mmCIF file of all heavy atoms in Angstrom:
data_model
loop_
_atom_site.group_PDB
_atom_site.id
_atom_site.type_symbol
_atom_site.label_atom_id
_atom_site.label_comp_id
_atom_site.label_asym_id
_atom_site.label_seq_id
_atom_site.Cartn_x
_atom_site.Cartn_y
_atom_site.Cartn_z
ATOM 1 N N TYR A 1 159.706 -60.988 -162.239
ATOM 2 C CA TYR A 1 158.476 -60.497 -162.875
ATOM 3 C C TYR A 1 158.367 -60.957 -164.323
ATOM 4 O O TYR A 1 157.516 -60.492 -165.064
ATOM 5 C CB TYR A 1 158.452 -58.962 -162.836
ATOM 6 C CG TYR A 1 158.319 -58.411 -161.440
ATOM 7 C CD1 TYR A 1 159.448 -58.100 -160.682
ATOM 8 C CD2 TYR A 1 157.068 -58.232 -160.854
ATOM 9 C CE1 TYR A 1 159.338 -57.607 -159.392
ATOM 10 C CE2 TYR A 1 156.946 -57.734 -159.567
ATOM 11 C CZ TYR A 1 158.081 -57.433 -158.839
ATOM 12 O OH TYR A 1 157.958 -56.956 -157.549
ATOM 13 N N ARG A 2 159.238 -61.864 -164.738
ATOM 14 C CA ARG A 2 159.332 -62.244 -166.145
ATOM 15 C C ARG A 2 158.782 -63.636 -166.427
ATOM 16 O O ARG A 2 158.021 -63.827 -167.363
ATOM 17 C CB ARG A 2 160.810 -62.200 -166.568
ATOM 18 C CG ARG A 2 161.070 -62.679 -167.982
ATOM 19 C CD ARG A 2 162.570 -62.752 -168.255
ATOM 20 N NE ARG A 2 163.200 -61.449 -168.142
ATOM 21 C CZ ARG A 2 164.472 -61.247 -167.902
ATOM 22 N NH1 ARG A 2 165.294 -62.276 -167.730
ATOM 23 N NH2 ARG A 2 164.972 -60.031 -167.835
ATOM 24 N N SER A 3 159.178 -64.623 -165.627
ATOM 25 C CA SER A 3 158.994 -66.030 -166.017
ATOM 26 C C SER A 3 158.034 -66.765 -165.098
ATOM 27 O O SER A 3 157.791 -66.360 -163.958
ATOM 28 C CB SER A 3 160.354 -66.752 -165.983
ATOM 29 O OG SER A 3 161.320 -66.051 -166.728
ATOM 30 N N THR A 4 157.531 -67.876 -165.616
ATOM 31 C CA THR A 4 156.651 -68.730 -164.822
ATOM 32 C C THR A 4 157.475 -69.535 -163.813
ATOM 33 O O THR A 4 158.697 -69.655 -163.922
ATOM 34 C CB THR A 4 155.900 -69.721 -165.724
ATOM 35 O OG1 THR A 4 156.873 -70.545 -166.385
ATOM 36 C CG2 THR A 4 155.051 -68.993 -166.762
ATOM 37 N N SER A 5 156.783 -70.141 -162.841
ATOM 38 C CA SER A 5 157.465 -70.913 -161.792
ATOM 39 C C SER A 5 158.208 -72.114 -162.375
ATOM 40 O O SER A 5 159.289 -72.475 -161.903
ATOM 41 C CB SER A 5 156.452 -71.382 -160.746
ATOM 42 O OG SER A 5 155.890 -70.269 -160.083
ATOM 43 N N ALA A 6 157.634 -72.758 -163.404
ATOM 44 C CA ALA A 6 158.281 -73.940 -163.998
ATOM 45 C C ALA A 6 159.645 -73.561 -164.588
ATOM 46 O O ALA A 6 160.633 -74.285 -164.417
ATOM 47 C CB ALA A 6 157.387 -74.536 -165.086
ATOM 48 N N ILE A 7 159.707 -72.419 -165.261
ATOM 49 C CA ILE A 7 160.968 -71.962 -165.865
ATOM 50 C C ILE A 7 161.980 -71.590 -164.774
ATOM 51 O O ILE A 7 163.151 -71.970 -164.834
ATOM 52 C CB ILE A 7 160.705 -70.769 -166.816
ATOM 53 C CG1 ILE A 7 159.918 -71.250 -168.049
ATOM 54 C CG2 ILE A 7 162.009 -70.093 -167.246
ATOM 55 C CD1 ILE A 7 159.309 -70.138 -168.885
ATOM 56 N N LEU A 8 161.515 -70.880 -163.746
ATOM 57 C CA LEU A 8 162.427 -70.463 -162.674
ATOM 58 C C LEU A 8 162.947 -71.647 -161.873
ATOM 59 O O LEU A 8 164.099 -71.643 -161.427
ATOM 60 C CB LEU A 8 161.728 -69.469 -161.738
ATOM 61 C CG LEU A 8 161.413 -68.103 -162.346
ATOM 62 C CD1 LEU A 8 160.797 -67.190 -161.298
ATOM 63 C CD2 LEU A 8 162.658 -67.447 -162.924
ATOM 64 N N ARG A 9 162.104 -72.663 -161.704
ATOM 65 C CA ARG A 9 162.555 -73.851 -160.958
ATOM 66 C C ARG A 9 163.726 -74.515 -161.700
ATOM 67 O O ARG A 9 164.726 -74.893 -161.086
ATOM 68 C CB ARG A 9 161.389 -74.819 -160.777
ATOM 69 C CG ARG A 9 161.658 -75.932 -159.786
ATOM 70 C CD ARG A 9 160.388 -76.619 -159.303
ATOM 71 N NE ARG A 9 159.524 -77.010 -160.386
ATOM 72 C CZ ARG A 9 158.333 -76.470 -160.632
ATOM 73 N NH1 ARG A 9 157.857 -75.497 -159.868
ATOM 74 N NH2 ARG A 9 157.602 -76.874 -161.648
ATOM 75 N N ALA A 10 163.590 -74.635 -163.025
ATOM 76 C CA ALA A 10 164.675 -75.220 -163.830
ATOM 77 C C ALA A 10 165.946 -74.372 -163.705
ATOM 78 O O ALA A 10 167.055 -74.903 -163.559
ATOM 79 C CB ALA A 10 164.247 -75.321 -165.297
ATOM 80 N N ALA A 11 165.794 -73.033 -163.738
ATOM 81 C CA ALA A 11 166.948 -72.135 -163.620
ATOM 82 C C ALA A 11 167.619 -72.280 -162.253
ATOM 83 O O ALA A 11 168.849 -72.374 -162.150
ATOM 84 C CB ALA A 11 166.509 -70.683 -163.845
ATOM 85 N N ASN A 12 166.807 -72.282 -161.196
ATOM 86 C CA ASN A 12 167.359 -72.409 -159.835
ATOM 87 C C ASN A 12 168.093 -73.734 -159.647
ATOM 88 O O ASN A 12 169.137 -73.788 -158.990
ATOM 89 C CB ASN A 12 166.240 -72.288 -158.794
ATOM 90 C CG ASN A 12 165.752 -70.852 -158.617
ATOM 91 O OD1 ASN A 12 166.508 -69.906 -158.806
ATOM 92 N ND2 ASN A 12 164.488 -70.682 -158.269
ATOM 93 N N GLU A 13 167.545 -74.806 -160.229
ATOM 94 C CA GLU A 13 168.184 -76.126 -160.076
ATOM 95 C C GLU A 13 169.546 -76.148 -160.773
ATOM 96 O O GLU A 13 170.519 -76.674 -160.250
ATOM 97 C CB GLU A 13 167.283 -77.225 -160.663
ATOM 98 C CG GLU A 13 165.989 -77.476 -159.887
ATOM 99 C CD GLU A 13 166.213 -78.141 -158.540
ATOM 100 O OE1 GLU A 13 167.370 -78.437 -158.187
ATOM 101 O OE2 GLU A 13 165.221 -78.354 -157.822
ATOM 102 N N VAL A 14 169.613 -75.566 -161.981
ATOM 103 C CA VAL A 14 170.883 -75.552 -162.718
ATOM 104 C C VAL A 14 171.940 -74.767 -161.951
ATOM 105 O O VAL A 14 173.048 -75.238 -161.712
ATOM 106 C CB VAL A 14 170.695 -74.956 -164.136
ATOM 107 C CG1 VAL A 14 172.039 -74.591 -164.758
ATOM 108 C CG2 VAL A 14 169.984 -75.952 -165.033
ATOM 109 N N ILE A 15 171.595 -73.549 -161.526
ATOM 110 C CA ILE A 15 172.602 -72.671 -160.924
ATOM 111 C C ILE A 15 173.001 -73.151 -159.534
ATOM 112 O O ILE A 15 174.059 -72.765 -159.015
ATOM 113 C CB ILE A 15 172.114 -71.201 -160.904
ATOM 114 C CG1 ILE A 15 173.305 -70.228 -160.917
ATOM 115 C CG2 ILE A 15 171.183 -70.919 -159.748
ATOM 116 C CD1 ILE A 15 174.158 -70.274 -162.157
ATOM 117 N N ALA A 16 172.200 -74.020 -158.941
ATOM 118 C CA ALA A 16 172.557 -74.579 -157.626
ATOM 119 C C ALA A 16 173.847 -75.388 -157.706
ATOM 120 O O ALA A 16 174.498 -75.638 -156.688
ATOM 121 C CB ALA A 16 171.414 -75.447 -157.094
ATOM 122 N N GLY A 17 174.246 -75.802 -158.918
ATOM 123 C CA GLY A 17 175.490 -76.550 -159.093
ATOM 124 C C GLY A 17 176.739 -75.700 -158.940
ATOM 125 O O GLY A 17 177.850 -76.234 -158.875
ATOM 126 N N ASN A 18 176.588 -74.365 -158.900
ATOM 127 C CA ASN A 18 177.736 -73.461 -158.721
ATOM 128 C C ASN A 18 177.886 -73.058 -157.260
ATOM 129 O O ASN A 18 176.875 -72.906 -156.559
ATOM 130 C CB ASN A 18 177.546 -72.179 -159.553
ATOM 131 C CG ASN A 18 178.004 -72.350 -160.987
ATOM 132 O OD1 ASN A 18 178.448 -73.424 -161.386
ATOM 133 N ND2 ASN A 18 177.888 -71.300 -161.774
ATOM 134 N N PRO A 19 179.131 -72.858 -156.793
ATOM 135 C CA PRO A 19 179.304 -72.338 -155.428
ATOM 136 C C PRO A 19 178.708 -70.939 -155.335
ATOM 137 O O PRO A 19 178.760 -70.174 -156.299
ATOM 138 C CB PRO A 19 180.825 -72.308 -155.245
ATOM 139 C CG PRO A 19 181.399 -72.334 -156.619
ATOM 140 C CD PRO A 19 180.419 -73.056 -157.480
ATOM 141 N N LYS A 20 178.142 -70.590 -154.197
ATOM 142 C CA LYS A 20 177.450 -69.312 -154.026
ATOM 143 C C LYS A 20 178.347 -68.276 -153.355
ATOM 144 O O LYS A 20 179.003 -68.575 -152.358
ATOM 145 C CB LYS A 20 176.196 -69.512 -153.158
ATOM 146 C CG LYS A 20 175.055 -70.200 -153.892
ATOM 147 C CD LYS A 20 174.410 -69.228 -154.838
ATOM 148 C CE LYS A 20 173.231 -69.860 -155.561
ATOM 149 N NZ LYS A 20 172.786 -69.015 -156.658
ATOM 150 N N ILE A 21 178.358 -67.063 -153.903
ATOM 151 C CA ILE A 21 178.995 -65.948 -153.200
ATOM 152 C C ILE A 21 177.976 -65.363 -152.224
ATOM 153 O O ILE A 21 178.267 -65.106 -151.068
ATOM 154 C CB ILE A 21 179.459 -64.863 -154.194
ATOM 155 C CG1 ILE A 21 180.427 -65.449 -155.224
ATOM 156 C CG2 ILE A 21 180.122 -63.704 -153.455
ATOM 157 C CD1 ILE A 21 180.861 -64.466 -156.284
ATOM 158 N N PHE A 22 176.747 -65.172 -152.720
ATOM 159 C CA PHE A 22 175.645 -64.672 -151.899
ATOM 160 C C PHE A 22 174.432 -65.558 -152.175
ATOM 161 O O PHE A 22 174.201 -65.963 -153.312
ATOM 162 C CB PHE A 22 175.300 -63.219 -152.268
ATOM 163 C CG PHE A 22 176.455 -62.265 -152.168
ATOM 164 C CD1 PHE A 22 177.149 -61.867 -153.297
ATOM 165 C CD2 PHE A 22 176.854 -61.758 -150.941
ATOM 166 C CE1 PHE A 22 178.220 -60.980 -153.217
ATOM 167 C CE2 PHE A 22 177.927 -60.876 -150.849
ATOM 168 C CZ PHE A 22 178.606 -60.489 -151.993
ATOM 169 N N GLU A 23 173.641 -65.812 -151.154
ATOM 170 C CA GLU A 23 172.452 -66.649 -151.325
ATOM 171 C C GLU A 23 171.345 -65.866 -152.031
ATOM 172 O O GLU A 23 171.100 -64.698 -151.725
ATOM 173 C CB GLU A 23 171.949 -67.154 -149.967
ATOM 174 C CG GLU A 23 172.707 -68.352 -149.432
ATOM 175 C CD GLU A 23 172.717 -69.535 -150.413
ATOM 176 O OE1 GLU A 23 171.671 -69.832 -151.016
ATOM 177 O OE2 GLU A 23 173.785 -70.147 -150.584
ATOM 178 N N LYS A 24 170.689 -66.534 -152.978
ATOM 179 C CA LYS A 24 169.578 -65.911 -153.718
ATOM 180 C C LYS A 24 168.807 -67.014 -154.428
ATOM 181 O O LYS A 24 169.417 -67.907 -155.014
ATOM 182 C CB LYS A 24 170.137 -64.904 -154.730
ATOM 183 C CG LYS A 24 169.100 -64.200 -155.572
ATOM 184 C CD LYS A 24 169.733 -63.189 -156.493
ATOM 185 C CE LYS A 24 170.232 -63.718 -157.805
ATOM 186 N NZ LYS A 24 171.393 -64.526 -157.819
ATOM 187 N N LYS A 25 167.477 -66.971 -154.379
ATOM 188 C CA LYS A 25 166.676 -67.968 -155.092
ATOM 189 C C LYS A 25 165.458 -67.267 -155.700
ATOM 190 O O LYS A 25 164.656 -66.673 -154.998
ATOM 191 C CB LYS A 25 166.220 -69.075 -154.136
ATOM 192 C CG LYS A 25 165.701 -70.296 -154.866
ATOM 193 C CD LYS A 25 165.589 -71.481 -153.928
ATOM 194 C CE LYS A 25 165.279 -72.747 -154.698
ATOM 195 N NZ LYS A 25 165.202 -73.925 -153.815
ATOM 196 N N LEU A 26 165.359 -67.327 -157.025
ATOM 197 C CA LEU A 26 164.274 -66.624 -157.716
ATOM 198 C C LEU A 26 162.924 -67.300 -157.483
ATOM 199 O O LEU A 26 162.830 -68.520 -157.409
ATOM 200 C CB LEU A 26 164.550 -66.574 -159.222
ATOM 201 C CG LEU A 26 165.763 -65.771 -159.689
ATOM 202 C CD1 LEU A 26 165.845 -65.809 -161.200
ATOM 203 C CD2 LEU A 26 165.695 -64.334 -159.201
ATOM 204 N N TRP A 27 161.878 -66.469 -157.379
ATOM 205 C CA TRP A 27 160.513 -66.992 -157.320
ATOM 206 C C TRP A 27 159.603 -66.032 -158.078
ATOM 207 O O TRP A 27 159.973 -64.900 -158.369
ATOM 208 C CB TRP A 27 160.031 -67.158 -155.874
ATOM 209 C CG TRP A 27 160.009 -65.871 -155.083
ATOM 210 C CD1 TRP A 27 161.051 -65.315 -154.404
ATOM 211 C CD2 TRP A 27 158.895 -64.972 -154.926
ATOM 212 N NE1 TRP A 27 160.673 -64.129 -153.832
ATOM 213 C CE2 TRP A 27 159.342 -63.895 -154.122
ATOM 214 C CE3 TRP A 27 157.569 -64.962 -155.370
ATOM 215 C CZ2 TRP A 27 158.518 -62.837 -153.761
ATOM 216 C CZ3 TRP A 27 156.741 -63.904 -155.005
ATOM 217 C CH2 TRP A 27 157.223 -62.864 -154.215
ATOM 218 N N SER A 28 158.424 -66.528 -158.416
ATOM 219 C CA SER A 28 157.496 -65.738 -159.235
ATOM 220 C C SER A 28 156.076 -66.007 -158.784
ATOM 221 O O SER A 28 155.762 -67.111 -158.331
ATOM 222 C CB SER A 28 157.655 -66.142 -160.710
ATOM 223 O OG SER A 28 156.573 -65.688 -161.472
ATOM 224 N N ASP A 29 155.219 -64.997 -158.904
ATOM 225 C CA ASP A 29 153.793 -65.246 -158.638
ATOM 226 C C ASP A 29 152.989 -65.223 -159.942
ATOM 227 O O ASP A 29 151.800 -64.935 -159.957
ATOM 228 C CB ASP A 29 153.231 -64.252 -157.609
ATOM 229 C CG ASP A 29 153.328 -62.804 -158.067
ATOM 230 O OD1 ASP A 29 153.702 -62.587 -159.239
ATOM 231 O OD2 ASP A 29 153.027 -61.896 -157.266
ATOM 232 N N LEU A 30 153.674 -65.567 -161.051
ATOM 233 C CA LEU A 30 152.996 -65.590 -162.361
ATOM 234 C C LEU A 30 152.366 -66.948 -162.657
ATOM 235 O O LEU A 30 151.903 -67.191 -163.772
ATOM 236 C CB LEU A 30 153.991 -65.236 -163.476
ATOM 237 C CG LEU A 30 154.601 -63.825 -163.402
ATOM 238 C CD1 LEU A 30 155.640 -63.624 -164.501
ATOM 239 C CD2 LEU A 30 153.522 -62.754 -163.487
ATOM 240 N N GLY A 31 152.375 -67.859 -161.674
ATOM 241 C CA GLY A 31 151.753 -69.174 -161.884
ATOM 242 C C GLY A 31 152.753 -70.211 -162.347
ATOM 243 O O GLY A 31 153.884 -69.892 -162.722
ATOM 244 N N GLU A 32 152.318 -71.480 -162.342
ATOM 245 C CA GLU A 32 153.195 -72.597 -162.685
ATOM 246 C C GLU A 32 153.596 -72.562 -164.153
ATOM 247 O O GLU A 32 154.756 -72.738 -164.499
ATOM 248 C CB GLU A 32 152.488 -73.924 -162.367
ATOM 249 C CG GLU A 32 153.242 -75.169 -162.780
ATOM 250 C CD GLU A 32 154.574 -75.342 -162.058
ATOM 251 O OE1 GLU A 32 154.784 -74.712 -161.013
ATOM 252 O OE2 GLU A 32 155.417 -76.111 -162.572
ATOM 253 N N GLY A 33 152.641 -72.343 -165.042
ATOM 254 C CA GLY A 33 152.947 -72.269 -166.474
ATOM 255 C C GLY A 33 153.229 -73.633 -167.083
ATOM 256 O O GLY A 33 153.139 -74.671 -166.421
#
């Protein structure tokens, strides 16, 4: 509920480089920004 899609996409791409304990991918309906 905080960030635009452009910011979250960058965050998701960075953290994808770490091994996952649990699957999770942030999304937002606040627009592309």
Side-chain angles (χ1 to χ4, degrees):
Y1 293 92
R2 175 187 298 157
S3 308
T4 61
S5 296
I7 291 166
L8 292 183
R9 192 163 50 248
N12 285 331
E13 291 290 359
V14 165
I15 207 64
N18 275 1
K20 286 285 182 192
I21 302 176
F22 304 101
E23 279 304 317
K24 179 178 86 288
K25 195 166 189 178
L26 295 182
W27 60 274
S28 164
D29 61 7
L30 297 176
E32 175 63 18

